[in-house]
Amino acid sequence: MIFRLLISCMLFSLVFVNGPFAEFRAAISVQMITPDPLLPVSGGIGASIPTHTQKGDLTVRALVIEQGDVRVAIVSADLLGFPSILGDKVRDLVKGIPPENILIGVTHTHSAPDCYAFPSETGKVEADLDYINMVCQKMALAINDAIQNLQPASIKTATGKAQGKIAYNYYADELYDPRCLVLQCIDGQGNPIATLVNYATHPEVLGPHRGILSPDLCGPLYDRIAAQGGGTAIFMNSAQGGMVTADCRSADGEDIQTWDECIRIGNLLADEALRIVSGASVQKSPALLCKATTVTFQIESPIMQFILKNSPLNYQTNQDGSVSTQVNVVNLGDAQMLTIPGEALPNIGYYLRRNMHGKHNFLLGLTNDAFGYLLTKVDYDSFKKYEYITQTSLGEMAGEIFIEQSLKFINQCPKPEALKTN
């Protein structure tokens, strides 16, 4: 009898520690990455633009979540892009999380220094490599700091349409996803620790040509969420490619490229995110799962081939000239997350979400890599407006490969624990 009781207690202990009822913990940490003195900023391929002033601070934000023996870091930086060659440097500096469980994305602000180290047509590189190294160090510091401050937590997840004048598709007004997905981590007293906002838009109200270094609309979003009691905010972009951007149009159709407009849009998106998550139910013991796979793409674009070959970051390619990258699936409570290694067009985003298995399906764009635009083969080089995004994609089949491989991987992974049926 005593032996059976001991066995039962041991089994219960194993389930409690590693199963769906294990304690969930969370923490978030922020590090400043504003260059001093100011550096030129990059809005994409081509020469960087000198800056003369600053609006808001550039930051790295690391949200670490843990349940049982599974620990995951979701990281966002106020940068245009952050390739995996840099992400791996960060992972080497973090000992408390398996490298494959560290998901590194960017907000995609067009008013931050170049971290791709883009070469010019002559091969000249203007990126500040010391700054890039500092960003890697600060990113690892943020992750390690969050690990040290993990605390018991619960979560709320929600999906809803963000109302108001926030984003639109520059190529065709309404061809974008207005849904905002929100993950909120809450402490033992019911106060938000962190609010993760997942929404598709280019933070380019200011753009690179005004000589302003800035997190763009994301800075006011962070401040507004904190001021409204939502804890520390983190913004993860979504399927914003081709060309979902901030709706800063005036009544006469001209863009309002001011810091006040960044504040208007950032505050509105923050308010909408908090409204959307406010009525969500609390999940006190959310099960956490994180899986990683490798997806390989052929590089057909001459521009992308030139960048990979001539950047001083020493981008890694396979023997056949292809590139491989990490793609993650994360299950948390009733939510599922999928990382996208570039800027997927909205139709790809809609299709992926429709075929994912969460009640709330987060798409973490420009995460783990930044391989330009991901188009389907029927969109590739099909319209005059798509000329730029075609040139700055890996190739005609990149979108098709990503859809096929990521959905195959999703279907191999367990469904979110909260949605499983007996």
Side-chain angles (χ1 to χ4, degrees):
M1 183 66 180
I2 293 176
F3 177 76
R4 273 192 250 170
L5 183 60
L6 287 172
I7 293 295
S8 298
C9 289
M10 290 172 63
L11 290 174
F12 176 80
S13 176
L14 287 172
V15 171
F16 184 79
V17 171
N18 296 309
F21 300 105
E23 181 181 61
F24 178 78
R25 300 199 298 163
I28 189 166
S29 180
V30 179
Q31 291 290 324
M32 298 294 178
I33 56 169
T34 303
D36 183 16
L38 299 180
L39 291 173
V41 299
S42 171
I45 293 171
S48 294
I49 311 298
T51 55
H52 54 74
T53 190
Q54 170 192 344
K55 294 292 185 181
D57 274 307
L58 305 182
T59 60
V60 166
R61 292 161 186 263
L63 173 64
V64 175
I65 52 178
E66 176 188 271
Q67 191 252 355
D69 57 2
V70 180
R71 183 181 288 170
V72 179
I74 301 173
V75 184
S76 179
D78 292 314
L79 298 168
L80 181 73
F82 201 75
S84 62
I85 192 76
L86 299 180
D88 287 342
K89 290 184 178 181
V90 175
R91 294 179 178 101
D92 287 343
L93 298 173
V94 177
K95 303 307 179 186
I97 303 178
E100 66 274 15
N101 284 17
I102 300 175
L103 287 51
I104 301 175
V106 294
T107 63
H108 199 52
T109 177
H110 283 47
S111 301
D114 171 21
C115 280
Y116 288 95
F118 289 125
S120 69
E121 292 181 0
T122 63
K124 181 181 179 182
V125 174
E126 297 177 347
D128 189 309
L129 299 183
D130 288 336
Y131 175 75
I132 292 174
N133 183 62
M134 182 273 285
V135 170
C136 292
Q137 297 285 334
K138 288 292 188 75
M139 194 174 286
L141 182 61
I143 298 169
N144 288 323
D145 183 62
I147 292 171
Q148 294 300 314
N149 288 285
L150 283 165
Q151 61 177 299
S154 55
I155 67 165
K156 294 168 71 174
T157 55
T159 305
K161 181 179 179 180
Q163 305 285 348
K165 191 166 170 282
I166 301 173
Y168 77 111
N169 192 324
Y170 176 77
Y171 294 157
D173 283 19
E174 297 186 9
L175 295 185
Y176 77 103
D177 192 342
R179 289 172 293 181
C180 178
L181 285 84
V182 187
L183 162 66
Q184 198 166 71
C185 298
I186 303 166
D187 68 17
Q189 289 70 50
N191 300 312
I193 299 168
T195 298
L196 185 153
V197 179
N198 183 215
Y199 184 78
T201 190
H202 276 68
E204 55 178 353
V205 176
L206 298 174
H209 299 288
R210 297 183 64 79
I212 301 173
L213 185 141
S214 175
D216 206 86
L217 65 90
C218 299
L221 178 142
Y222 304 145
D223 294 343
R224 181 74 159 201
I225 285 178
Q228 296 292 92
T232 302
I234 178 171
F235 178 79
M236 302 297 293
N237 223 315
S238 186
Q240 93 296 12
M243 180 71 70
V244 181
T245 190
D247 192 352
C248 59
R249 297 170 295 176
S250 66
D252 60 7
E254 296 296 320
D255 286 342
I256 305 171
Q257 292 185 279
T258 65
W259 179 241
D260 283 344
E261 185 67 0
C262 290
I263 293 172
R264 182 194 70 79
I265 296 176
N267 285 356
L268 178 55
L269 180 55
D271 290 345
E272 285 299 285
L274 293 175
R275 175 187 64 81
I276 288 165
V277 79
S278 63
S281 59
V282 175
Q283 301 174 59
K284 294 188 176 181
S285 300
L288 176 62
L289 174 142
C290 183
K291 298 291 184 181
T293 190
T294 299
V295 176
T296 299
F297 302 94
Q298 294 297 323
I299 312 170
E300 300 171 8
S301 163
I303 291 176
M304 299 298 280
Q305 290 173 344
F306 182 82
I307 291 171
L308 292 173
K309 180 180 179 181
N310 292 282
S311 171
L313 297 186
N314 297 316
Y315 289 106
Q316 302 299 305
T317 58
N318 302 318
Q319 287 188 344
D320 63 356
S322 63
V323 288
S324 297
T325 191
Q326 174 180 309
V327 171
N328 284 88
V329 169
V330 176
N331 293 342
L332 176 60
D334 61 4
Q336 187 167 74
M337 301 179 183
L338 173 69
T339 64
I340 302 175
E343 302 179 62
L345 267 64
N347 54 345
I348 294 179
Y350 268 103
Y351 185 75
L352 291 171
R353 276 187 170 147
R354 193 165 69 244
N355 287 278
M356 291 168 67
H357 300 314
K359 181 179 179 181
H360 307 287
N361 293 318
F362 291 69
L363 295 176
L364 308 185
L366 289 154
T367 298
N368 293 337
D369 236 319
F371 285 144
Y373 291 96
L374 296 175
L375 299 77
T376 60
K377 62 183 179 182
V378 294
D379 285 329
Y380 185 89
D381 204 19
S382 293
F383 309 102
K384 181 65 176 176
K385 282 186 178 293
Y386 281 6
E387 184 176 1
Y388 173 76
I389 60 174
T390 293
Q391 292 174 347
T392 52
S393 69
L394 291 174
E396 181 174 346
M397 297 304 293
E400 306 291 338
I401 291 168
F402 181 71
I403 292 170
E404 178 185 353
Q405 293 299 312
S406 60
L407 289 181
K408 178 181 178 181
F409 183 55
I410 283 171
N411 289 327
Q412 292 171 348
C413 293
K415 293 183 178 180
E417 192 73 34
L419 301 179
K420 288 182 180 179
T421 56
N422 294 326

